Amino acid sequence: MPRVLIVEDERAIAESLEFALRRDGFEVAFAPTLRAAEAQLDSADLIVLDLMLPDGSGFDLLSRLRGSERRVPVIILTSRDEEADRVAGLEGGADDYVIKPFSPREVVARIRAVLRRAQPPRRLPASAAGRLSIDAGTRRCTYDGTPLDLTRTEFDLLHALASAPDRVFTRQQLIERIFGEGYAVTDRTIDAHIKALRRKLSAAGGDPELIETERGVGYRLRA
Ligand code: CA
């Protein structure tokens, strides 16, 4: 079973998560500090990372991990009022985030989803969200067989979201994927394209809320 490293200094939080993970058959390791985490990184299949730790910020560990060869998935733990941290976490390479206080069951479900996505071969974007079909080769997109007439940017946006269903993308990440780095596009541009996409989805008989807004963070395509 996968081994999850919980980097969290609040004992009660770490224990509730440990209990839920063990019940589901995961192996669990603990680290109450960044220092303790360093020693256990190599054996972890996934890291649940608190941001505020006694000897520093979880962000430091995240950026070290992302600068290294090994691509271990990371889920960050943030507080409800730390929206900026969520954005920074995702942009710093976290795979997902969980808001405290959380239900351990929800975290286990997120961990499963992230591990599934991290597995090679990666799920192909073509059939994300079930009834939505996206063909990157022909750049055609249909919902239940009804073609969606998308602009280039709308197609690229939907394709990016569908590359990791259920994952939240920040607006900046979407801009980089679609336009490339350093391109001067504002967040509002993305919002406008999302709005158009939802309208076209809806016109084809789909649920416009297939594309979910994660308030203050970005967007995700519901799996
Ligand atoms: Ca903490």
Side-chain angles (χ1 to χ4, degrees), residues 69-180:
E69 290 272 291
R70 202 163 155 258
R71 181 72 185 82
V72 55
V74 175
I75 295 180
I76 56 171
L77 300 177
T78 74
S79 303
R80 193 164 297 282
D81 53 352
E82 288 168 342
E83 245 170 28
D85 281 352
R86 271 172 259 159
V87 173
L90 291 170
E91 284 173 357
D95 295 85
D96 202 354
Y97 65 85
V98 173
I99 300 171
K100 293 185 198 179
F102 53 74
S103 106
R105 290 177 69 116
E106 187 207 334
V107 184
V108 173
R110 297 277 190 117
I111 287 171
R112 284 193 185 288
V114 166
L115 284 173
R116 218 180 302 127
R117 289 203 300 261
Q119 228 127 74
R122 285 181 154 270
R123 199 185 330 178
L124 289 174
S127 65
R131 302 156 82 179
L132 190 64
S133 150
I134 302 166
D135 186 327
T138 60
R139 298 185 63 86
R140 285 214 184 93
C141 173
T142 59
Y143 185 86
D144 268 356
T146 307
L148 300 186
D149 185 18
L150 305 181
T151 64
R152 196 186 73 88
T153 304
E154 286 160 11
F155 182 89
D156 290 343
L157 189 51
L158 191 57
H159 188 254
L161 290 169
S163 69
D166 270 345
R167 172 184 174 146
V168 180
F169 289 87
T170 68
R171 291 172 175 83
Q172 196 53 43
Q173 285 174 327
L174 291 169
I175 290 169
E176 277 167 22
R177 285 210 177 201
I178 296 163
F179 302 99

Side-chain angles (χ1 to χ4, degrees), residues 8-10 50-54 100:
E8 165 65 84
D9 57 316
E10 283 169 69
D50 184 32
L51 293 177
M52 306 250 280
L53 293 155
K100 293 185 198 179

